[in-house]
């Protein structure tokens, strides 16, 4: 029986992966073993079967015995363990949520509703390293796959509105701590029917600018504000998050002629769903109804939201999408720049399609390939 090792299963991405695997009854047909960097001998997650106690995620001899290793532990662990396993002559499959191996020539970025043929071709040619993509890039490709498939995109600009969860668990908690701090300082005035919005705003602004406001994770207020910077500066003047748009999109799609992708990435006070506003330069003038059909045909999770207020408020917000696999695409219209310019807005749960779901699915693809 195939032996599958799971590392990093209790972190944010790992626990969403476990949840999805339980929901889909995936703990079947292989022997799962769970690893830890902090609690050797402890109890693993609920899988519906008896599992051994937690093993040491740095024990190379143990790891060497696995046919497949799935890790959501993070780049530092991958950088420490993966090269050593390769040097030892390990021949197993490595599935990783971190960015450590994403741009390696010997790895494939996985998003099977978009690049199943690239994954299958990789398996046939002996590739054994499969890495989840950047959350924003994966969600953009899930939304616009129909246009890429039909070769309609000359270039693409994505302006993002990214949730706190993309920065990690502590950042999600800090966002809520910021909301609590704002709520604490305004409670009395909010309960006073005679208070004015200007009075309340003064209290909120005072709190946002106070030295006591909790910003140790984000470095700036996010609640009642936003942060137009994600990750570190690149030589190009882009942030690394913005740089990934072009680099990862073209690697995932394995395009002969790269499609330029660029834009600004902005952190906003949403919890776990990212949103993106697209400006798309089409390769030719295509009627809006044909473009809409193409986008709808991109995959089974895309849902077109009519360009109407009621539908947009009901279906095209992080609050509506959190916890679901749906990828709504709306606000579709041609821009006044000309008939070859399309705009659209999309939302997606970044812990599902942006992180755990592509890993869950590629694990199943590899198990099927090996059996
Ligand atoms: P995370 O929540 O920080 O978890 C990573 C590991 O930290 C856990 O597996 C756990 O390892 C340890 N840990 C320490 N304290 C913990 C606590 N209180 N609760 C849970 N785990 C704790 O990291 P993550 O956000 O899942 O990200 C993992 C990797 O995926 C990173 O490389 C990240 O860049 C990448 N990624 C993240 C996202 C995202 O949305 N967050 C999206 C795509 C890719 P032990 O059990 O061994 O102690």
């Amino acid at each position: 029986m195939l032996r599958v090792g799971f590392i990093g299963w209790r972190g944010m991405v790992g626990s969403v992966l476990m949840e999805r695997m339980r929901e889909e009854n995936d703990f079947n047909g292989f022997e799962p073993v769970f690893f830890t960097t902090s609690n050797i001998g402890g109890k693993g997650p609920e899988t519906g079967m008896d599992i051994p106690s937690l093993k040491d995620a740095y024990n190379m001899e143990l790891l060497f015995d696995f046919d497949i290793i799935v890790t959501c532990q993070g780049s530092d662990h991958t950088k420490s363990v993966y090269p050593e396993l390769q040097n030892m002559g390990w021949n197993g499959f490595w599935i990783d949520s971190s960015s450590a191996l994403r741009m390696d020539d010997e790895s494939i970025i996985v998003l099977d509703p978009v690049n199943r043929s690239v994954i299958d071709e990789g398996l046939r040619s002996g590739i054994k390293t499969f890495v989840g993509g950047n959350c924003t890039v994966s969600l953009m490709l899930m939304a616009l796959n129909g246009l890429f498939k039909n070769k309609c995109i000359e270039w693409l600009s994505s302006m993002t509105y990214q949730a706190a969860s993309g920065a990690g668990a502590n950042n999600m908690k800090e966002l809520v701590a910021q909301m609590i701090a704002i709520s604490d300082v305004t409670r009395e005035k909010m309960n006073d029917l005679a208070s004015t919005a200007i009075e309340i705003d003064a209290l909120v602004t005072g709190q946002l600018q106070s030295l006591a406001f909790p910003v140790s994770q984000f470095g700036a207020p996010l609640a009642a504000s936003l942060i137009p910077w994600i990750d570190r500066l690149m030589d190009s003047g882009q942030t690394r998050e913005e740089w990934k748009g072009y680099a990862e999109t073209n690697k995932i799609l394995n395009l002969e002629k790269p499609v330029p992708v660029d834009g600004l990435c902005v952190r906003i006070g949403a919890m776990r769903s990212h949103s993106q506003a697209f400006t798309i330069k089409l390769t030719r003038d295509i009627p809006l109804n044909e473009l809409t059909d193409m986008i709808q045909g991109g995959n089974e999770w895309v849902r077109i939201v009519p360009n109407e207020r009621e539908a947009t408020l009901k279906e095209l917000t992080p609050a509506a999408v959190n916890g679901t696999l749906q990828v709504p695409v709306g606000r579709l219209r041609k821009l006044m720049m000309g008939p070859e310019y399309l705009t659209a807005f999309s939302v997606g749960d970044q812990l599902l399609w942006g992180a755990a779901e592509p890993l869950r699915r590629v694990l199943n693809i590899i198990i099927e390939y090996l059996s």
Side-chain angles (χ1 to χ4, degrees), residues 13 39 89 132 163 167 176 180-181 195 197 207 210 241 268 273 304 316 327:
V13 177
N39 185 25
V176 177
I180 291 170
S195 68
Q207 184 67 309
S210 139
E241 187 78 0
I268 58 146
S273 290
I304 298 293
L316 196 60
V327 182

Side-chain angles (χ1 to χ4, degrees), residues 7-14 35-39 57 72-75 96-99 102 133-135 165-169 350-351 354-355:
I7 310 173
W9 53 272
R10 83 176 175 113
M12 220 162 41
V13 177
F35 288 81
T36 176
T37 60
S38 61
N39 185 25
C72 305
Q73 186 66 35
S75 291
D96 199 332
S97 70
S98 84
S99 61
R102 240 179 236 160
N134 168 262
C135 41
S165 63
Q350 73 90 23
L351 288 172

